[in-house]
Amino acid sequence: MSEFAYSTEGFERTVYRIDGVESVVYEIGEGEPCVYFHGGGTYHGFEWARDFADSFRMILPIHPNFGESGDADFTAIGDYVMHYEMLFAALGLETFHLMGASMGGHFAARYAGEHWEEIDKLVLVSPAGLKSDKAAIPDFSQIAPEELPDWFVESREWLEPYWPAQPGPEWLALRQREGEAAFRTREDLAVTDAKLRELLKGFDRPVLLLWGGDDRIVPPGFIPEWQGVLPDAQVAVIPGGAHLLLDENMAARKAAKDFLNR
């Protein structure tokens, strides 16, 4: 029996083989397609997406080297972009909304920048990828392991089912695999910053920058940098919101859904 607390009830699970890599995709709902790129962990699942299922066909791929998807020799974000080009073709997607959070926000911004013509609307939830003189992602090696969960959420109580105080070997193995995969995507920040600024210059699709006001992982101090890249983007800062924003905060889900429904 799995020790993971999240439920996939109501979701359809499909396994695709993309250039030899097994890619698991969850889907729920009907309507305009909306793809979501998750961040650096899958241990909390996709239950939040149920709130969108009455309006959208939510498409939730699990990145290669993460969660239930297979291993891949990816060492750069460009590898993931190429993977998703092929996966979206297999899914029959031509145009769609794209959402991404944290690392997944970086993936989403990069994908959108290379494929403007495919994007209807873009939602970036506390995205990584840009550098700032006024904000920084923390050095996780300097955070005590027992304190780390509090950095991600408003409520430790909310997180406890997904991040147990005494995790078992299955949970620990998942976190190690995903942590190593996320670390491999961390290209030189000056390079990723320049790449995103180049690709998104003049980006003309509607964009929402969605942030938790108390996000300690990718702090709101990065917002001005993204506004510089995407000057026409709407900005929504959720008071008290933390890093697992869509998962934990109903107001954040409402802000994203309202933007997509406009």
Side-chain angles (χ1 to χ4, degrees), residues 232-260:
D232 296 325
Q234 298 181 41
V235 179
V237 178
I238 306 301
H243 193 61
L244 297 186
L245 190 61
L246 292 174
D247 302 78
E248 188 181 16
N249 193 293
M250 185 179 299
R253 295 193 293 274
K254 183 178 186 304
K257 187 175 179 181
D258 288 350
F259 171 77
L260 293 174

Side-chain angles (χ1 to χ4, degrees), residues 23-43:
S23 295
V24 173
V25 179
Y26 282 94
E27 294 192 38
I28 193 170
E30 297 181 357
E32 297 177 357
C34 179
V35 175
Y36 173 75
F37 287 163
H38 65 77
T42 62
Y43 57 89

Side-chain angles (χ1 to χ4, degrees), residues 20-200:
V21 177
E22 282 198 354
S23 295
V24 173
V25 179
Y26 282 94
E27 294 192 38
I28 193 170
E30 297 181 357
E32 297 177 357
C34 179
V35 175
Y36 173 75
F37 287 163
H38 65 77
T42 62
Y43 57 89
H44 40 87
F46 299 117
E47 294 193 67
W48 62 268
R50 290 192 178 94
D51 285 3
F52 292 72
D54 60 345
S55 301
F56 301 98
R57 173 192 170 196
M58 296 299 296
I59 301 168
L60 307 138
I62 297 177
H63 308 317
N65 299 316
F66 290 77
E68 300 169 46
S69 286
D71 295 333
D73 58 350
F74 293 176
T75 58
I77 292 172
D79 296 327
Y80 286 91
V81 171
M82 187 177 299
H83 171 83
Y84 282 119
E85 290 170 355
M86 293 185 283
L87 178 62
F88 295 160
L91 286 164
L93 295 176
E94 295 182 359
T95 60
F96 50 92
H97 304 304
L98 180 59
M99 303 173 63
S102 192
M103 180 192 77
H106 188 177
F107 287 10
R110 176 76 172 267
Y111 189 92
E114 295 189 23
H115 299 280
W116 293 27
E117 73 285 354
E118 297 178 18
I119 307 303
D120 287 329
K121 293 181 180 178
L122 177 64
V123 179
L124 301 177
V125 186
S126 55
L130 294 183
K131 63 179 182 178
S132 172
D133 294 332
K134 300 179 179 178
I137 293 174
D139 179 352
F140 293 105
S141 68
Q142 301 302 308
I143 303 172
E146 65 273 13
E147 296 176 3
L148 190 58
D150 293 318
W151 283 67
F152 285 87
V153 289
E154 302 171 47
S155 167
R156 180 69 172 266
E157 183 179 359
W158 177 88
L159 185 61
E160 282 176 353
Y162 308 104
W163 192 324
Q166 300 295 328
E170 183 183 2
W171 193 96
L172 290 171
L174 173 74
R175 293 304 302 130
Q176 180 174 351
R177 177 176 184 250
E178 294 184 337
E180 292 172 352
F183 184 79
R184 290 196 298 272
T185 70
R186 292 180 187 171
E187 302 164 10
D188 182 86
L189 189 55
V191 173
T192 64
D193 180 276
K195 187 73 172 180
L196 287 172
R197 291 178 190 276
E198 173 191 355
L199 290 172
L200 293 170

